[in-house]
Amino acid sequence: EKFVFIEGPECVMGDFSNNIIGVVQNNSGKDYDYLQITFTIYDAQGNVIDSAFANVNNVKAGGTWRFEAMFFEEEAASWELDEITGW
């Protein structure tokens, strides 16, 4: 695996926004100038209702990134990792 979660991800529902948080480790063997993580948010019927993403610059090989991907949809019932991309 190029990227491994060492904490989370977990969803924290708040009063004004919701966040999927965690820590991912760069096990790719290369430095990244930019990384982005994306999650798809679903309602109770399984419909896509939102997405959440976070991005960061300069994650070295072996480095970790504490991310916080924000979304606002109150009807969120579940979520899943979409992708981690970067260059």
Side-chain angles (χ1 to χ4, degrees):
E1 293 281 326
K2 285 180 13 177
F3 303 102
V4 175
F5 290 104
I6 57 174
E7 288 182 26
E10 67 177 301
C11 186
V12 178
M13 304 294 275
D15 291 336
F16 302 105
S17 68
N18 310 302
N19 295 287
I20 300 172
I21 60 172
V23 177
V24 68
Q25 183 168 25
N26 174 7
N27 287 345
S28 69
K30 70 177 230 177
D31 296 346
Y32 278 87
D33 292 330
Y34 175 87
L35 283 178
Q36 178 169 300
I37 190 167
T38 308
F39 296 90
T40 302
I41 314 299
Y42 301 93
D43 66 11
Q45 290 75 40
N47 301 304
V48 174
I49 57 170
D50 206 347
S51 60
F53 74 93
N55 53 48
V56 69
N57 295 319
N58 304 318
V59 179
K60 303 283 187 203
T64 57
W65 168 33
R66 182 176 301 276
F67 65 86
E68 191 169 312
M70 185 182 306
F71 66 98
F72 296 98
E73 184 57 58
E74 295 176 8
E75 302 299 318
S78 64
W79 53 273
E80 68 180 350
L81 174 66
D82 197 15
E83 64 181 348
I84 301 174
T85 58
W87 59 80

